[in-house]
């Protein structure tokens, strides 16, 4: 019987493997060193270490950094772009803005496709979709021959106004396939059919440049898994919070950018819902960075304004995640004004914190936690031994002596600055979006999330912190909790007052037919398909739109307008009920249901567990004799009073003085910050 589910999340340092028994809900975890030169090696090594029989695996889900790393390192195959004559520089001009407006010397990164490989052909479609000038087919063939001589591996075709009429783009693709049958081709009218040319061109360019890299990796991994006995589709997590099959990756490779980050957001949403908190803030703190996400009323917040490198947007819908440079390895330092700062500089995986004995002598958050007694002297089940003397020396040299502080006061200062940075990140995704953090639970995970979660929650007046059973591999767990998902959209530019319900309904029907055909091609039964609609709307004259949920049958445009006013009020704290409203785009999220992982539930019996030991831990510049528990010893119903430390293989949880914690039926630790 196929009764095992496997999820693999590839990170920069470690590859995490989560193995679930469908019958019992029991989970095993493995960690193995990543192999950046070929991530597939670490995946297969993890399968071997985890003793996984692929013949008995019912689902294999994978979060990958292949697309993201290819874009960051620009280790990309030579690609080309074909544009309407006169528009080859759209991706170079961008929006003529900069990430830091006041830094004269900092330039925006160059496009992924250099100008010499951005060629043009004569053609023109007007804004109404009328073909003003047919495609110059002789010129198109000449362009194809040029690209063939240059050994181009992938091509992006981006014509003006193709979002309303794709005929010329599709003909250009046909000609290229005749001249270059093996080349990968992305056309903007299929990748991102929307009005704004830079965003459309940029998304198509990104899709084209990563496609050969991603398709090669996915094909090799899928073939290897099949050869080892796996009989079903490899499922790949994408940035929108769903999974794709290898077939879908061939067309939409750029959706895998941001894959790994989305996994943690999915897991925090799932755990929040499981614990009765549909409003949950994901707090994923690792060694280098912290990822913050928000789910509201059981749904993740989605954005289309994201990128890997500033200036080159990827307009596929993505779970909104804010990443800041705050992790266990973040360095403490003094700025020119004499203030203590923390990150974004990091000691990295190597040399790592000073206490790792690899030569770093600058204090990190890990060193500060070790000095304060919040971390023990061993990590990863004894695989890594920490040196308290080196941590103390680093804290003294970096902070205590320059600022005239006592050792523990200096370590506390490092942690406070880090916590303030992370609390500000949470504010950016909650308060600035119209959400009150006090109405949320904080789901703290990652290697360092449970160390800092309670303090960050207290600063934000968040009443509850949830620490999952395996914080260090929670992102891998997220890969087990997703459905097949695709997002389809089409332009629909019209004033709401002039729109008839049947027009809008017809537009949705066209997209839904395409969506169902895509899911059907991937083997999803019609009974397992769920389609949800949204309309992007704006006040007349605006150019930024808001997504508004649409009913399964459009009968009243006025209802949509009222819903838009309500969304605008929450997002921006104002609404203009008397203003005209414009429709901009219709979109459909197509979900193919995949059987979900069900965590094992345990009977709850409240009791006071015995600690495994005690040690001196510092809070608020005062030492406390603190109970230390082993996570494996804590059963459902265990009650813990702070101060307390809970240690386990992949993380350490801190319960500060004045707080209490309880282990729930799923073995999550729930910390009450307002005890």
């Amino acid at each position: 019987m196929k009764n095992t589910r496997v999820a693999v999340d590839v990170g920069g340092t470690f590859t995490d493997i989560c193995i679930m028994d469908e019958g019992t809900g029991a989970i095993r975890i493995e960690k193995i060193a990543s192999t950046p030169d070929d991530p597939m090696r670490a995946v297969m090594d993890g399968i071997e270490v985890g003793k996984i029989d692929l013949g008995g695996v019912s689902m294999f889900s994978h979060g990958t950094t292949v697309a993201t790393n290819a874009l960051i390192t620009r280790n990309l195959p030579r690609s080309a772009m074909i544009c309407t004559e006169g528009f080859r520089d759209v991706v170079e001009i961008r929006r003529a803005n900069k990430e830091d407006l006041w830094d004269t010397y900092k330039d925006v990164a160059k496009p992924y496709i250099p100008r010499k490989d951005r060629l043009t052909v004569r053609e023109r479609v007007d804004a109404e979709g009328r073909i003003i000038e047919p495609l110059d087919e002789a010129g198109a063939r000449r362009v194809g021959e040029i690209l063939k001589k240059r050994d181009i591996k992938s091509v992006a075709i981006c014509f003006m106004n193709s979002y309303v009429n794709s005929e010329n783009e599709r003909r250009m693709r046909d000609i290229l396939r005749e001249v270059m049958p093996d080349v990968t081709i992305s056309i903007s009218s299929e990748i991102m059919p929307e009005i704004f040319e830079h965003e459309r061109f940029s998304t198509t360019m990104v899709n084209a440049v990563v496609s050969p890299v991603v398709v090669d990796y996915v094909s090799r991994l899928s073939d290897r898994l099949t050869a080892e006995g796996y009989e079903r589709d490899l499922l790949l997590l994408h940035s929108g919070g769903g999974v794709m099959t290898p077939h879908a990756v061939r067309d939409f490779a750029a959706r895998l950018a941001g894959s790994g980050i989305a996994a943690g957001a999915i897991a925090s949403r799932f755990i929040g819902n499981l614990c009765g908190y549909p409003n949950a803030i994901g707090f994923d703190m690792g060694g280098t960075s912290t990822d913050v996400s928000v789910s509201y009323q059981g749904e993740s917040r989605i954005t289309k304004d994201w990128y890997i490198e500033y200036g080159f947007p990827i307009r596929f819908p993505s779970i909104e995640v804010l990443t800041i440079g705050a992790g266990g390895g973040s360095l403490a330092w003094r700025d020119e004004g004499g203030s203590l700062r923390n990150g974004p500089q990091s000691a990295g995986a190597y040399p790592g914190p000073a206490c790792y004995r690899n030569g770093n002598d600058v204090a990190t958050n890990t060193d500060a936690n070790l000095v304060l007694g919040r971390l023990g002297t061993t990590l990863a089940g004894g695989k890594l031994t920490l040196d308290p003397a080196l941590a103390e020396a680093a804290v003294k040299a970096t902070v205590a002596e320059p600022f005239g502080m006592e050792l523990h006061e200096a370590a506390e200062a490092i942690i406070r600055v880090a916590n303030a940075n992370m609390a500000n990140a949470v504010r950016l995704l909650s308060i600035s979006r119209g959400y009150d953090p006090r109405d949320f639970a904080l789901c703290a995970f990652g290697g360092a999330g449970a160390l800092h979660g309670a303090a960050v929650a207290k600063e934000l007046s968040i009443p509850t912190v949830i620490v999952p059973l395996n914080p260090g591999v929670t992102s891998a767990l997220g890969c087990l909790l997703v459905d097949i998902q695709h997002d389809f959209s089409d332009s629909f530019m019209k004033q709401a007052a002039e729109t008839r319900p049947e027009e809008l309904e017809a537009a949705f029907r066209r997209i839904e037919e395409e969506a169902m055909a895509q899911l059907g091609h991937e083997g999803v039964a019609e009974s397992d398909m769920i389609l949800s609609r949204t309309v992007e709307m704006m006040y007349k004259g605006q150019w930024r739109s808001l997504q508004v949920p649409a009913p399964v049958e459009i009968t009243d445009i006025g209802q949509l307008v009222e819903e838009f006013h309500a969304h605008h009020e929450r997002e921006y704290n104002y609404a203009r009920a008397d203003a005209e409203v414009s429709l901009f785009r219709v979109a459909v999220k197509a979900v193919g249901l995949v059987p979900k992982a069900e965590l094992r539930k345990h009977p709850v019996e409240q009791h006071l567990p015995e600690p495994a030991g005690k040690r001196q831990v510092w809070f608020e510049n005062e030492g406390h004799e603190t109970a230390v528990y082993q996570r494996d010893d804590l059963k459902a119903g265990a009650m813990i009073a702070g101060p307390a430390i809970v240690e386990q293989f992949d993380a350490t949880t801190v319960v500060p003085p004045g707080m209490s914690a309880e282990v729930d039926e799923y073995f999550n630790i729930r910390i009450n910050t307002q005890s």
Side-chain angles (χ1 to χ4, degrees), residues 260-283:
I261 294 175
I266 294 163
S268 64
R269 179 187 68 199
F270 171 81
I271 291 167
N273 286 333
L274 193 70
C275 296
Y277 295 94
N279 297 348
I281 294 171
F283 179 73

Side-chain angles (χ1 to χ4, degrees), residues 13-328:
T13 306
F14 290 104
T15 293
D16 299 332
I17 300 98
C18 189
I19 308 153
M20 170 176 278
D21 185 307
E22 290 182 347
T24 64
I27 290 177
R28 292 190 292 122
I29 63 171
E30 295 290 347
K31 270 185 176 288
I32 195 163
S34 293
T35 51
D37 59 318
D38 183 5
M40 189 181 80
R41 289 209 331 269
V43 175
M44 300 311 298
D45 289 346
I47 291 172
E48 183 178 351
V49 170
K51 296 180 173 57
I52 300 169
D53 175 15
L54 288 171
V57 173
S58 62
M59 185 177 83
F60 194 105
S61 185
H62 181 28
T64 174
T65 56
V66 168
T68 306
N69 290 343
L71 292 170
I72 291 172
T73 62
R74 297 203 169 215
N75 186 15
L76 300 163
R78 188 172 182 181
S79 303
M81 177 179 278
I82 303 174
C83 305
T84 305
E85 188 173 74
F87 292 91
R88 71 190 293 194
D89 293 320
V90 165
V91 292
E92 191 99 41
I93 297 168
R94 306 179 318 281
R95 291 289 171 191
N97 54 4
K98 298 174 68 173
E99 191 169 19
D100 188 345
L101 292 174
W102 311 112
D103 191 337
T104 306
Y105 301 100
K106 185 178 179 181
D107 294 325
V108 176
K110 292 291 184 183
Y112 297 110
I113 298 176
R115 194 173 195 270
K116 65 181 179 182
D117 289 329
R118 300 197 302 267
L119 307 183
T120 64
V121 295
R122 293 186 62 83
E123 71 85 36
R124 198 59 191 265
V125 174
D126 71 8
E128 301 297 324
R130 294 186 293 264
I131 296 179
I132 304 301
E133 182 176 359
L135 176 67
D136 176 4
E137 297 199 3
R141 290 186 185 279
R142 284 195 299 272
V143 166
E145 294 294 344
I146 291 170
L147 298 184
K148 184 177 181 179
K149 290 178 181 178
R150 294 181 184 181
D151 196 26
I152 295 295
K153 303 298 183 186
S154 183
V155 179
I157 302 175
C158 303
F159 290 167
M160 288 301 295
N161 295 323
S162 62
Y163 66 95
V164 286
N165 186 339
S166 63
E167 183 178 334
N168 285 350
E169 276 194 354
R170 288 185 283 108
R171 181 57 187 149
M172 182 74 235
R173 178 176 59 185
D174 293 342
I175 291 171
L176 271 187
R177 283 177 173 166
E178 293 173 13
V179 178
M180 309 168 67
D182 296 328
V183 75
T184 299
I185 303 172
S186 300
I187 66 173
S188 71
S189 54
E190 290 183 357
I191 299 299
M192 187 51 54
E194 65 177 49
I195 184 172
F196 297 117
E197 67 275 2
H198 170 52
E199 287 75 9
R200 178 162 53 88
F201 283 27
S202 173
T203 304
T204 308
M205 174 179 67
V206 171
N207 197 78
V209 298
V210 302
S211 188
V213 177
V214 171
V215 171
D216 174 69
Y217 171 74
V218 170
S219 298
R220 288 191 300 113
L221 179 58
S222 182
D223 291 345
R224 180 71 182 276
L225 292 174
T226 301
E228 298 286 339
Y230 182 57
E231 297 179 351
R232 300 187 179 177
D233 275 332
L234 167 65
L235 300 179
L236 297 127
L237 185 75
H238 62 68
S239 60
V243 287
M244 306 165 67
T245 63
H247 172 81
V249 170
R250 293 189 185 97
D251 296 324
F252 300 102
R255 296 223 65 178
L256 294 186
S259 166
I261 294 175
I266 294 163
S268 64
R269 179 187 68 199
F270 171 81
I271 291 167
N273 286 333
L274 193 70
C275 296
Y277 295 94
N279 297 348
I281 294 171
F283 179 73
D284 181 2
M285 183 179 180
T288 304
S289 62
T290 296
D291 300 322
V292 178
S293 60
V294 170
S295 62
Y296 178 68
Q297 294 182 353
E299 296 293 332
S300 295
R301 184 179 171 86
I302 302 297
T303 182
K304 295 181 98 176
D305 294 319
W306 66 287
Y307 49 84
I308 299 300
E309 285 189 277
Y310 183 83
F312 304 107
I314 304 171
R315 290 281 291 173
F316 292 126
S318 172
I319 293 178
E320 186 172 31
V321 179
L322 178 61
T323 300
I324 65 167

Side-chain angles (χ1 to χ4, degrees), residues 443-463:
C443 185
F445 57 99
L451 268 171
H452 295 256
V456 170
K458 183 178 180 181
E459 184 163 337
L460 295 163
S461 298
I462 295 174

